[in-house]
Amino acid sequence: MRRLWLGVVGVVAALGFMVPMASASPAQIVIRVREISSNFVQQGNTFSFSSVLKQSGATVGSDAVTCHTGGQCQAEFTFNGEGTIFGHVPTADTSSPSFVATVTGGTGTFTGAHGGVTITSTNPNGNVSQLVFRIKT
């Protein structure tokens, strides 16, 4: 389960970009970042972790993910100076190195965001993931 959200956050760092200032048009925004997770905490049937989001080696944001045993996870991906993207995974498949979370909203540049974020674990420890956000606002 940790590997899944570390990839998601889950929830969120493999995107490889910084928000290129979204335009007012409904065009799709694609953000690529690398997520490096730390601070994993498990309490009962809930676990959480936080991560830094990087692009070309620079920190462009952070995320916070909370999951419940069985797969439901909520994530917040905050991009420095841009806003926050909210994500949800109804059922996470921890056996797969890649999965898609639903983008359910946002703030700032991401107000009204909808779409998805593909999270792919990129190391055996599960603490580094590639995130690719594909959203419309």
Side-chain angles (χ1 to χ4, degrees), residues 14-18 30-34 55 130-132 134:
L15 292 177
F17 97 119
M18 187 42 210
V30 177
I31 302 169
R32 298 177 193 280
V33 295
R34 195 169 136 208
Q55 206 172 55
Q130 184 72 22
L131 308 180
V132 179
R134 290 180 177 86

Side-chain angles (χ1 to χ4, degrees), residues 4 9 12-13 22 29 32 37 40 44-45 49 51-52 58 68 77 86 91 110 116 122 126 129 132:
L4 167 77
V9 164
V12 63
I29 299 168
R32 298 177 193 280
S37 300
F40 181 86
N45 26 344
F49 62 93
S51 308
V52 295
H68 301 283
F77 306 94
F86 304 116
T91 305
F110 308 111
T122 59
S129 297
V132 179

Side-chain angles (χ1 to χ4, degrees), residues 3-71:
R3 180 178 167 181
L4 167 77
W5 262 112
L6 292 177
V8 168
V9 164
V11 321
V12 63
L15 292 177
F17 97 119
M18 187 42 210
V19 182
M21 290 312 260
S23 67
S25 72
Q28 184 177 60
I29 299 168
V30 177
I31 302 169
R32 298 177 193 280
V33 295
R34 195 169 136 208
E35 173 191 60
I36 302 168
S37 300
S38 62
N39 202 18
F40 181 86
V41 176
Q42 182 153 7
Q43 203 168 23
N45 26 344
T46 301
F47 68 90
S48 60
F49 62 93
S50 58
S51 308
V52 295
L53 304 178
K54 295 197 172 250
Q55 206 172 55
S56 299
T59 298
V60 296
S62 61
D63 64 30
V65 178
T66 300
C67 297
H68 301 283
T69 305

